Amino acid sequence: MKFYEVHDPYYALIKADNKEDAIRIYTDNVADDGDNLGISEVTETYAAVRHSRTYDEDGKPLSVKEVLEDITNDNEMVLGRDGNLI
């Protein structure tokens, strides 16, 4: 798995097999417009640290166990998104 970060138009941290899948996940789950995304690949360590600073649906920080499970499983997913979209 690879990790991607989008800053514009809305922030997202995405885990995907490749950049094309990351763009698809972004447009399906974050924002409808996938054109001209400021998307870049980031390291697993960077993604883990950023993801550890996100909050669950109840507004509580994720546990270390949750972060590690999300980072190491084989599922493509949005790991974090712009707080204004929640």
Side-chain angles (χ1 to χ4, degrees), residues 30-62:
V30 180
D32 293 337
D33 187 10
D35 296 334
N36 301 316
L37 289 180
I39 188 168
S40 59
E41 188 172 346
V42 297
T43 67
E44 182 176 339
T45 302
Y46 177 88
V49 170
R50 287 293 299 214
H51 187 44
S52 71
R53 296 179 179 167
T54 60
Y55 296 88
D56 65 15
E57 296 83 25
D58 298 324
K60 296 178 182 179
L62 297 177

Side-chain angles (χ1 to χ4, degrees), residues 3-18:
F3 300 89
Y4 299 90
E5 192 171 49
V6 178
H7 288 281
D8 193 38
Y10 298 102
Y11 177 81
L13 180 62
I14 299 169
K15 182 172 75 165
D17 287 323
N18 54 57

Side-chain angles (χ1 to χ4, degrees), residues 58-76:
D58 298 324
K60 296 178 182 179
L62 297 177
S63 69
V64 172
K65 181 180 178 183
E66 289 171 306
V67 171
L68 291 176
E69 285 175 359
D70 288 345
I71 293 293
T72 60
N73 71 35
D74 291 332
N75 301 325
E76 294 183 318

